[in-house]
């Protein structure tokens, strides 16, 4: 085993063992019985270990092997990024309603591909330990509040309300946290007994733990920040933390001023596209009026969850059928569209070849009218094909890649690719109507506005309402959705910057590659996707120099 392989193994082992809660998203069975230790001591040790791993990878000189260079760069930047992005995470992000621990639990804690009896025991242990994890999280959040670092009052109350809403549902086998399927190797009698134990644990331990969590959140909310001071710049040392979050997300040196200006330029550029594409469809070339008509026309809203999923399934089928003309290599696994009541409006869950977990993308259907009919296709192409599923599943299925390349990612590459895929879908002829192509512009608006709003909040002192109003004024996105988006940017500083920055870099690399006389789009895409989610600087070398 090479030194690089050993360092990569060290990173994988440390990243998974130090953050079991983060494994919820993909239903990983590693460290199944555990939750992340968010004590100050554990976090300091984790950061120290990440820095040690990064330094070891950075010290390796690799000149003539592009695959090894890619792995080295992924290991080094992943370790650096993980250390930076964990700063203030438990006390600010984890207790928020949109992106916090409770939302992850409600979305993913019943989706594990349990197989063995041991898996079943570990899962029940995990639920038994959940109240202690929530208690530790609140201990950390309350201690941080004593030092002046506390989440928004409205966010703390919102998370408490999520727990209270769940507790108001009928307890018993039909409740959401009793929805995990038993291990597949159990016989019928064993499975029934396992389900009975699951229901008892949720009733006797999880529910009381959630009630205590909600009560502590409400008490902490009395010290929470007001909505007019949502950004990191309002906290002592917060602007420096924000700059670290920017690098941790982009793996690029960019200042808040540069990113803010880039966002303003993208928003202005999109206005002309709206005039040209949406103007004839809604009968005006006034951009503000275009936004208003797209936002307010009730005929452009969904009315049933079934139609939402059917339309997403149809769009995915078109994308699957066309992909062979644009990619040499495609995933073996097939992605499906699924309804959910929890989480973001739309998101993707990756396959796991080791456990047999299947890939899926999810559409939040609890309120179908929250979806405009013209935006769903763009979401499908972003989350599934040719977006996240194509990129993530290809990496997951490639046994020649190290596990850190198959399973880990950097946001600028992954989300940049998915946003690039929305425009690529237009080249592929996948949008079914001119109005669906307007949905592509809406998604671009969201990502362009993010550059302005995220930096506005965390570097320039914008209020929550100021951020909301900017997005309402500069996009056709309805206010309720904008409020959710802005709350996400407040809770997860810097992450939203990655989409447009990554997309623009991939497009710039493609523009350079297209200068070659023998350019082939399938070859280009194979080069982009060859080694998993590499840093964007590595990607440029990988594509243009081979």
């Amino acid at each position: 085993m090479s030194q690089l392989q050993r360092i990569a193994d060290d990173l994988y082992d440390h990243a998974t063992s130090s953050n079991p809660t983060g494994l919820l998203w993909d239903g990983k069975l590693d460290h199944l019985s555990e939750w992340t230790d968010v004590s100050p001591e554990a976090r300091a040790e984790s950061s120290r270990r990440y820095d040690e791993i990064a330094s070891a990878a950075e010290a390796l000189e690799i000149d003539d092997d592009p695959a090894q260079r890619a792995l080295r760069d992924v290991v080094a930047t992943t370790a650096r990024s993980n250390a930076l992005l964990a700063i203030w995470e438990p006390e600010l992000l984890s207790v928020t309603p949109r992106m916090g621990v409770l939302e992850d639990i409600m979305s993913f804690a019943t989706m594990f591909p349990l197989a063995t009896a041991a898996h079943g025991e570990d899962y029940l242990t995990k639920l038994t330990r959940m109240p202690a994890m929530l208690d530790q999280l609140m201990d950390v959040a309350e201690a941080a509040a004593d030092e002046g670092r506390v989440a928004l009052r409205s966010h703390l109350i919102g998370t408490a309300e999520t727990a209270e809403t769940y507790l108001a549902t009928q307890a018993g086998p039909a409740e959401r946290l009793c929805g995990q399927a038993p291990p597949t190797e159990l016989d019928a009698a064993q499975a029934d007994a396992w389900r009975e134990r699951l229901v008892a644990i949720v009733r006797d331990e999880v529910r009381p733990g959630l009630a205590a969590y909600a009560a502590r959140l409400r008490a902490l909310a009395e010290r929470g920040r007001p909505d007019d001071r949502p950004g990191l710049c309002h906290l002592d040392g917060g602007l420096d933390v924000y700059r670290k979050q920017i690098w941790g997300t982009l793996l690029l040196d960019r200042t808040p001023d540069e990113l803010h200006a880039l966002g303003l330029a993208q928003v202005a550029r999109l206005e002309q596209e709206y005039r040209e594409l949406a103007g004839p469809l809604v009968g005006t070339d006034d951009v503000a009026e275009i936004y208003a008509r797209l936002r307010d026309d009730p005929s452009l809203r969904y009315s049933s969850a079934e139609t939402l999923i059917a339309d997403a399934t149809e769009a995915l089928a078109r994308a699957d059928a066309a992909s062979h003309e644009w990619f040499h290599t495609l995933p073996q696994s097939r992605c499906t569209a699924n309804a959910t009541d929890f989480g973001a409006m739309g998101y993707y869950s990756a396959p796991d070849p080791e456990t047999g977990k299947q890939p899926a993308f999810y559409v939040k259907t609890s309120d179908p009218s929250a979806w405009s009919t013209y935006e769903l296709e763009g979401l499908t192409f972003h989350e599934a094909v040719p977006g996240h599923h194509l990129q993530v599943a290809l990496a997951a299925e490639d046994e020649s890649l190290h596990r850190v390349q198959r399973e880990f990612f950097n946001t600028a590459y992954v989300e940049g690719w998915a946003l690039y895929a929305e425009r690529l879908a237009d080249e592929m002829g996948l949008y079914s109507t001119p109005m669906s192509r307007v949905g592509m512009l809406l998604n671009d608006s969201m990502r362009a506005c993010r550059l302005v709003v995220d930096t506005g909040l965390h570097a320039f002192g914008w209020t929550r309402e100021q951020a909301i109003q900017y997005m309402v004024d500069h996009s056709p996105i309805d206010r309720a959705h904008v409020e959710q988006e802005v709350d996400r940017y407040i809770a997860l500083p810097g992450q939203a910057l990655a989409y447009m920055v990554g997309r623009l870099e991939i497009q710039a690399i493609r523009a350079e590659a297209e200068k070659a006389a023998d350019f082939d789009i399938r070859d280009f895409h194979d080069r982009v996707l060859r080694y998993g989610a590499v840093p964007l600087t590595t990607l440029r070398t990988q594509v243009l120099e081979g």
Side-chain angles (χ1 to χ4, degrees):
M1 181 186 294
S2 71
Q3 186 177 4
L4 176 57
Q5 287 287 117
R6 286 193 294 271
I7 296 170
D9 287 348
D10 287 346
L11 172 62
Y12 186 87
D13 292 343
H14 177 63
T16 53
S17 64
S18 65
N19 187 22
T21 305
L23 302 178
L24 278 171
W25 186 278
D26 289 320
K28 299 292 291 183
L29 297 176
D30 300 320
H31 307 282
L32 178 58
S33 66
E34 304 166 30
W35 297 95
T36 302
D37 182 350
V38 296
S39 66
E41 297 79 13
R43 292 160 63 195
E45 172 58 22
S46 178
S47 180
R48 184 201 65 78
R49 184 71 182 116
Y50 275 130
D51 287 342
E52 185 177 77
I53 292 169
S55 295
E58 290 163 352
L60 297 177
E61 293 188 9
I62 301 171
D63 297 324
D64 57 355
D65 189 331
Q68 293 295 291
R69 285 202 305 269
L71 176 57
R72 178 200 59 192
D73 293 352
V74 167
V75 169
T77 55
T78 299
R80 294 286 184 211
S81 174
N82 284 1
L84 293 176
L85 295 178
I87 299 173
W88 296 356
E89 180 179 327
E91 57 263 47
L92 298 184
L93 169 62
S94 296
V95 293
T96 59
R98 303 294 178 197
M99 307 292 293
V101 167
L102 184 56
E103 187 73 17
D104 283 349
I105 290 170
M106 293 300 178
S107 298
F108 301 112
T110 61
M111 296 168 60
F112 286 96
L114 305 182
T116 68
H119 291 158
E121 291 304 311
D122 284 346
Y123 183 81
L124 296 179
T125 300
K126 187 180 199 71
L127 289 186
T128 300
R129 292 172 171 173
M130 195 174 100
M133 177 273 292
L134 295 174
D135 279 343
Q136 185 192 56
L137 180 62
M138 290 309 303
D139 289 344
V140 170
E142 290 163 0
D146 292 340
E147 299 174 357
R149 297 188 310 279
V150 64
L152 258 64
R153 180 181 304 118
S154 57
H155 285 188
L156 293 163
I157 292 173
T159 305
E161 289 174 344
T162 297
E164 291 160 353
T165 299
Y166 178 81
L167 292 171
T169 62
Q170 181 68 40
E175 66 179 295
R176 184 171 185 84
L177 290 180
C178 293
Q180 172 64 47
T184 54
E185 80 168 20
L186 301 185
D187 62 30
Q190 291 170 327
D192 287 343
W194 187 88
R195 289 190 187 94
E196 289 179 4
R197 292 173 63 197
L198 170 62
V199 171
I201 289 170
V202 172
R203 179 192 64 227
D204 298 336
E205 300 183 55
V206 172
R207 279 179 165 263
L210 285 174
Y213 182 51
R216 292 182 73 176
L217 285 165
R218 286 197 174 275
L220 183 59
E222 296 179 6
R223 294 192 281 165
R225 282 180 289 146
D227 282 358
D228 61 1
R229 294 174 59 84
L232 291 183
C233 60
H234 295 292
L235 303 177
D236 187 24
L239 190 55
D240 181 59
V241 170
Y242 182 51
R243 293 191 181 102
K244 292 176 179 177
Q245 299 277 6
I246 290 173
W247 191 93
T249 296
L250 303 181
L251 308 183
L252 298 169
D253 292 320
R254 298 287 188 272
T255 69
D257 295 270
E258 290 171 336
L259 294 164
H260 195 82
L262 178 63
L264 292 172
Q266 289 296 310
V267 169
R269 182 190 59 78
L270 280 164
E271 289 185 356
Q272 184 57 33
E273 287 195 83
Y274 276 106
R275 292 189 185 96
E276 294 172 356
L277 182 55
L281 300 176
V282 299
T284 180
D285 63 359
D286 181 85
V287 173
E289 186 62 24
I290 290 171
Y291 293 158
R293 294 184 187 184
L294 291 172
R295 183 186 302 125
D296 299 334
D297 186 344
S299 71
L300 297 177
R301 292 282 161 180
Y302 276 98
S303 58
S304 79
E306 293 76 16
T307 304
L308 262 171
I309 300 302
D311 286 356
T313 300
E314 182 179 341
L316 178 53
R318 291 199 308 275
D320 280 336
S323 291
H324 69 279
E325 298 179 7
W326 295 80
F327 298 87
H328 286 304
T329 308
L330 295 169
Q332 296 178 4
S333 57
R334 300 294 297 271
C335 188
T336 58
N338 302 266
T340 182
D341 291 335
F342 289 90
M345 292 290 284
Y347 55 90
Y348 173 74
S349 184
D352 187 342
E354 289 187 8
T355 64
K357 178 180 174 293
Q358 294 301 301
F361 89 92
Y362 292 89
V363 180
K364 191 171 184 178
T365 57
S366 52
D367 178 13
S369 66
W371 284 96
S372 60
T373 53
Y374 57 88
E375 70 179 307
L376 184 67
E377 290 186 8
L379 171 88
T380 302
F381 305 140
H382 180 106
E383 300 294 343
V385 177
H388 283 320
H389 171 64
L390 195 152
Q391 181 264 311
V392 173
L394 275 178
E397 295 170 4
D398 188 347
E399 294 184 359
S400 71
L401 299 178
H402 191 278
R403 293 184 74 176
V404 300
Q405 293 166 287
R406 298 202 305 267
E407 298 179 25
F408 296 171
F409 64 89
N410 74 77
T411 308
Y413 175 98
V414 170
E415 296 299 353
W417 170 264
L419 189 54
Y420 166 82
E422 294 182 32
R423 289 280 177 162
L424 177 64
D426 196 30
E427 295 182 66
M428 296 169 68
L430 297 181
Y431 291 99
S432 61
T433 67
M435 188 59 81
S436 291
R437 294 184 67 226
V438 174
M440 176 183 69
L441 300 187
L442 178 146
N443 290 334
D444 265 13
S445 289
M446 183 188 301
R447 280 52 177 259
C449 285
R450 283 174 175 175
L451 294 169
V452 180
V453 168
D454 195 284
T455 51
L457 288 164
H458 295 293
F460 306 129
W462 285 21
T463 67
R464 179 176 180 271
E465 180 58 32
Q466 188 176 355
I468 291 169
Q469 194 59 53
Y470 180 87
M471 291 189 72
V472 169
D473 290 343
H474 293 90
S475 78
I477 309 169
D478 64 272
R479 183 180 174 92
H481 191 179
V482 166
E483 289 176 354
Q484 294 178 30
E485 285 292 312
V486 169
D487 284 337
R488 168 184 166 181
Y489 312 152
I490 293 169
L492 199 56
Q495 190 269 353
L497 304 170
Y499 295 68
M500 185 60 73
V501 170
R503 201 279 298 280
L504 292 174
E505 180 61 15
I506 292 171
Q507 287 181 320
I509 294 170
R510 176 173 163 179
E512 285 294 312
E514 286 175 337
K515 295 176 182 178
D518 61 347
F519 175 81
D520 183 295
I521 190 64
R522 293 172 297 178
D523 291 338
F524 170 76
H525 288 148
D526 276 4
R527 284 177 175 267
V528 170
L529 302 171
R530 178 179 297 171
Y531 298 123
V534 298
L536 294 175
T537 50
T538 305
L539 182 66
R540 176 172 284 275
T541 300
Q542 168 180 310
V543 172
L544 299 179
E545 299 179 17

